[in-house]
Amino acid sequence: QVLLVESGGGLVQAGDSLSLSCTASGLTFTFTRWSMGWFRQAPGKEREFLAAISRSGSTTELADSVKGRFTISRDNEKDTVYLQMNRLRPEDTSVYYCGARWSGSQEVSSIESEYAYWGQGTQVTVSS
């Protein structure tokens, strides 16, 4: 069984920064064989792609809506992927999810359906 656990969410003010973490575990889960992604979903809206990172971390992709403000990184020694969020805005308020996507190369993907495992989500609330 694969388990992804997000942490780091909370209530912040507009302009603040927040760092999310997602740690993977599971007897058959080899972290370095999976690309990872961050998505978010606000009430009544579809899940939105934010960022993805390849197996080694050499390739990243960011959604236009967060470019210049968010950064994705990973530590393969800790089986953890991070999302650094700067200059947060009220419209960033959402539940943030990490996902794991099997990858045979250094490619990344923004397509939700390509992710096989998901965390339970962590709430981020940005007040104005």
Side-chain angles (χ1 to χ4, degrees):
Q1 182 178 357
V2 176
L3 186 64
L4 301 178
V5 179
E6 301 101 335
S7 62
L11 172 63
V12 297
Q13 293 186 334
D16 286 351
S17 298
L18 206 58
S19 181
L20 305 183
S21 301
C22 170
T23 300
S25 63
L27 291 177
T28 60
F29 189 81
T30 303
F31 190 65
T32 53
R33 294 182 180 177
W34 297 76
S35 65
M36 302 295 292
W38 284 97
F39 291 71
R40 68 187 179 190
Q41 188 169 19
K45 295 187 177 181
E46 294 185 353
R47 192 165 293 190
E48 172 191 11
F49 167 77
L50 298 175
I53 189 166
S54 62
R55 292 164 44 176
S56 70
S58 60
T59 303
T60 62
E61 179 181 344
L62 292 169
D64 288 342
S65 60
V66 301
K67 277 182 182 177
R69 299 191 300 127
F70 290 11
T71 304
I72 187 171
S73 61
R74 66 189 291 162
D75 185 339
N76 286 342
E77 294 296 320
K78 297 181 179 179
D79 292 354
T80 300
V81 61
Y82 304 95
L83 185 69
Q84 177 64 41
M85 305 185 294
N86 299 325
R87 301 195 301 281
L88 284 163
R89 306 166 180 168
E91 53 263 40
D92 294 319
T93 296
S94 191
V95 179
Y96 285 68
Y97 298 91
C98 68
R101 172 183 171 273
W102 176 266
S103 176
S105 66
Q106 296 303 321
E107 64 182 6
V108 297
S109 175
S110 62
I111 302 174
E112 179 186 355
S113 61
E114 293 187 5
Y115 287 77
Y117 297 104
W118 295 93
Q120 82 289 348
T122 186
Q123 176 71 44
V124 173
T125 303
V126 184
S127 64
S128 57

